[in-house]
Amino acid sequence: MLGAQEFSIDTFTDRINAFKDTRSRMIGITYTSTDPAFATSVANRSADIYLAALTERILADRNEALRNQQLFDLYRQLAVARSDIAERNARRTTLSVGQTTNQSQLAEERNTPEARLRQLERRIALLKDASIEVREPEGQRELQREATAFTQLFDSVAQRQKVLLGEGNVQPDVRMLSSASIPTLPSSFNPLLFLPPAMVIALIGAGLAAVLLEQLDGSLRTERDVTEGLGIPCIGSVPKPTRRKKSRFRRLGFKMLSPTGWTAIRHAIFEKLPKAGKIQFRRRNSSTKPTGFPPHQLIPQDERYTEAIRSVVAAALRLANPRSSLKTLLVTSSVPGEGKTTLAISFAVYAARIGRRVLLIDLSFRHPSIASELGGPADDTVLDGLQGSRPVADLIRAASGLGFDYLPLSRNSADPVATLAGQQVPNLLRQLKGRYDCVVIDSAPLLSATEPRLLAPMVDKVLLAVKWGSTPREVVQNALGLLPRSATGRQDLKNAIAAVITQVDLEKHARYRYGDFSENLLQLKSSPA
């Protein structure tokens, strides 16, 4: 894409292009430039130079072949001439050998001085005869014939050389069929013209990728997903509490660049910072790491969270039909980390706020956490009441400021199956139904423990926590498949199971435009913890 002003060897090698037509013996040469006239001149000049070089190379190859043929003929004729000369020399050598033999015989016959003299005279005579024989006319005629033959051979070679050189001047069949003409249209489009269709294709590809990812996503996000994918009703969705980190200066509570602010800074440096260091050290060595207010303390300050729990409680307790209200509920999940304990505590908090007498029981034997979440001790636990060592009434504790009671549980080495296999738990639940309007049991996940399978047939309702956009549908289905096989008193526990979607990211959920309950929660006021 360069003009004559920016021409160089590098740009020439990049822009020039030579190609051969596969269906013929033609060769094409093109050159790309923003100047049509310059591109035409470069292409034509390149074709002329290539044609001249090709013609010269063809002629040189043809002359070389002719010279090779000429040398071959000369070498052949030279070999014939050498053969004739060798034959003639052989005849002369035979004559010399015969004479030498006669001289040797004469030397053997004559040993006396006289004999030697006669031998010398005979040798002189023989030499004279040989010289006379060589000078005879016949020998001269033979030499004349040889000279004539060599003369004719030279003339024929010279004549053939002229013929061959004359044939070499014939021009080879290489010619230019057509020269390049100045183009009127560009050979390629402007790259900027490809941007709009490329953007359209990219958007279509992104949309198809989003649809494909949505189809491959096996997690559950809406109540409709739960109902269609699991075959059980979904009675609500609980959002993930909004948390906001407070800066150190905001926690101190003063205005910067004011006398009160400087006083607060000095107070923080000399008094609060050492205590803050101690608190931080204690947090690092603690098993729990609070990141703000617990979710159940957001009731009723956070309208979104409160409305979500209100919907779950109303559906679970059948508040619309008080005569068929349920009293015992089991809160569980498929796997750990789905927020079942938070759901159980929040459920108890709101049920207590609407005037229900609520008892929360911790029966998660492997990871009990109700006491730690509520900030109470776990010395005397519900396990003591089930084993008969202490009355259950003495083990019940009140949740400070929350309006409900709870039975804690601590980690121990007792076998949970041995405790739940008997009639202790059913008897305890029948006893507590007379004192409380609602008994909520926090149990272990279905796929990691056996206890929830034993507890499910003992309650009126099972609330299954499903983490939004995280737990695969197949995992929840496997967890639900364990409940009918573990029933001890009912035929099918799926009729008593309801799902609750937990930890919903309302902002991300609203982007999908489902138009469901969770999307409308985003319109309510949130109170960050």
Side-chain angles (χ1 to χ4, degrees):
M1 303 302 175
L2 299 174
Q5 301 298 330
E6 301 178 356
F7 181 79
S8 64
I9 297 299
D10 295 336
T11 57
F12 174 77
T13 56
D14 292 338
R15 303 304 178 185
I16 195 71
N17 180 33
F19 60 92
K20 184 180 182 302
D21 189 2
T22 58
R23 295 173 297 179
S24 64
R25 303 182 64 182
M26 293 187 299
I27 297 177
I29 297 177
T30 62
Y31 186 81
T32 304
S33 175
T34 55
D35 186 357
F38 179 72
T40 302
S41 62
V42 172
N44 290 331
R45 182 56 180 166
S46 300
D48 294 338
I49 295 174
Y50 177 75
L51 184 62
L54 183 60
T55 302
E56 182 179 357
R57 188 179 64 183
I58 293 175
L59 291 176
D61 293 341
R62 183 175 295 179
N63 293 332
E64 182 67 19
L66 295 176
R67 283 193 293 269
N68 292 336
Q69 182 65 31
Q70 177 183 355
L71 290 175
F72 176 76
D73 294 340
L74 291 176
Y75 280 128
R76 187 181 60 183
Q77 296 175 7
L78 181 60
V80 174
R82 287 179 177 177
S83 177
D84 296 339
I85 294 173
E87 184 179 356
R88 186 185 63 181
N89 292 334
R91 290 198 301 269
R92 293 181 179 179
T93 303
T94 303
L95 177 59
S96 300
V97 171
Q99 295 174 357
T100 304
T101 304
N102 294 331
Q103 293 174 1
S104 301
Q105 293 176 356
L106 293 174
E108 293 177 356
E109 296 175 353
R110 305 287 181 178
N111 293 326
T112 59
E114 292 80 6
R116 291 180 180 177
L117 179 61
R118 288 192 293 271
Q119 183 178 1
L120 291 175
E121 293 176 353
R122 186 179 298 176
R123 183 179 300 174
I124 293 172
L126 292 174
L127 290 175
K128 289 181 179 181
D129 296 336
S131 61
I132 294 173
E133 182 180 0
V134 171
R135 287 193 298 269
E136 287 180 352
E138 184 177 356
Q140 293 178 358
R141 287 192 296 272
E142 182 179 356
L143 293 176
Q144 184 65 33
R145 286 194 299 270
E146 292 179 0
T148 303
F150 281 113
T151 302
Q152 294 176 356
L153 176 61
F154 177 78
D155 294 338
S156 63
V157 170
Q159 185 66 26
R160 183 172 180 80
Q161 182 179 5
K162 293 180 180 180
V163 174
L164 293 176
L165 292 177
E167 293 178 356
N169 292 329
V170 178
Q171 295 294 329
D173 189 14
V174 179
R175 63 184 183 277
M176 183 181 296
L177 295 180
S178 63
S179 301
S181 58
I182 299 178
T184 58
L185 297 176
S187 59
S188 61
F189 296 101
N190 191 336
L192 296 178
L193 299 177
F194 293 97
L195 289 179
M199 294 178 62
V200 173
I201 294 175
L203 292 176
I204 295 176
L208 294 177
V211 173
L212 179 61
L213 293 176
E214 181 68 20
Q215 295 295 328
L216 296 178
D217 185 11
S219 60
L220 303 171
R221 299 176 182 270
T222 63
E223 299 178 3
R224 181 177 180 180
D225 293 342
V226 173
T227 303
E228 295 180 354
L230 304 179
I232 59 175
C234 182
I235 61 174
S237 302
V238 179
K240 180 168 57 177
T242 304
R243 302 187 183 277
R244 181 176 60 190
K245 295 182 179 180
K246 296 182 180 180
S247 64
R248 182 179 298 275
F249 293 104
R250 183 176 180 181
R251 289 197 298 268
L252 295 178
F254 59 85
K255 296 181 179 180
M256 295 296 296
L257 301 179
S258 64
T260 305
W262 290 114
T263 303
I265 290 176
R266 289 194 298 270
H267 178 69
I269 292 175
F270 293 104
E271 296 184 9
K272 288 189 175 182
L273 286 183
K275 296 180 180 180
K278 293 180 181 180
I279 294 174
Q280 183 68 20
F281 179 80
R282 184 165 60 250
R283 286 183 177 181
R284 290 180 180 178
N285 291 274
S286 175
S287 59
T288 59
K289 297 180 180 179
T291 57
F293 293 109
H296 60 268
Q297 294 186 6
L298 299 177
I299 301 174
Q301 289 81 6
D302 192 331
E303 295 183 4
R304 299 176 182 174
Y305 193 81
T306 303
E307 183 61 31
I309 297 297
R310 179 184 294 118
S311 174
V312 173
V313 172
L317 297 182
R318 298 179 182 176
L319 298 182
N321 189 7
R323 294 183 179 181
S324 61
S325 179
L326 305 178
K327 287 195 172 184
T328 56
L329 298 96
L330 176 68
V331 181
T332 184
S333 62
S334 301
V335 292
E338 297 192 78
K340 63 175 184 59
T341 301
T342 301
L343 176 62
I345 298 176
S346 301
F347 189 98
V349 169
Y350 188 81
R353 289 184 62 85
I354 60 176
R356 295 295 192 274
R357 294 173 299 172
V358 181
L359 176 65
L360 178 60
I361 305 176
D362 191 352
L363 288 180
S364 181
F365 289 86
R366 289 172 176 79
H367 299 284
S369 57
I370 295 296
S372 61
E373 289 290 334
L374 298 179
D379 299 333
D380 300 328
T381 65
V382 65
L383 192 58
D384 299 330
L386 294 176
Q387 294 175 352
S389 59
R390 293 190 58 181
V392 175
D394 297 341
L395 303 175
I396 297 176
R397 300 171 184 174
S400 177
L402 299 178
F404 65 90
D405 298 336
Y406 69 96
L407 278 172
L409 180 66
S410 61
R411 190 186 301 270
N412 54 74
S413 58
D415 189 354
V417 176
T419 304
L420 300 177
Q423 294 297 318
Q424 294 89 341
V425 175
N427 294 335
L428 176 62
L429 293 178
R430 282 192 295 268
Q431 178 184 354
L432 295 174
K433 284 181 181 180
R435 299 179 53 183
Y436 293 94
D437 299 325
C438 179
V439 178
V440 181
I441 301 174
D442 180 33
S443 181
L446 286 166
L447 295 179
S448 60
T450 310
E451 304 91 273
R453 299 179 233 173
L454 301 177
L455 290 171
M458 305 177 188
V459 298
D460 299 330
K461 194 75 172 180
V462 177
L463 297 183
L464 180 65
V466 179
K467 187 176 180 179
W468 177 86
S470 176
T471 308
R473 181 183 292 105
E474 293 77 10
V475 173
V476 186
Q477 291 174 347
N478 293 335
L480 291 174
L482 299 175
L483 293 178
R485 294 195 295 269
S486 64
T488 57
R490 299 183 182 179
Q491 295 180 354
D492 190 0
L493 294 180
K494 283 190 175 180
N495 297 328
I497 301 174
V500 178
I501 302 176
T502 59
Q503 304 183 33
V504 179
D505 191 331
L506 296 180
E507 294 183 357
K508 291 184 179 180
H509 186 85
R511 297 173 188 172
Y512 290 94
R513 300 295 182 182
Y514 291 120
D516 56 355
F517 177 78
S518 298
E519 181 178 346
N520 290 278
L521 284 179
L522 195 61
Q523 307 300 326
L524 301 178
K525 182 180 178 181
S526 174
S527 177

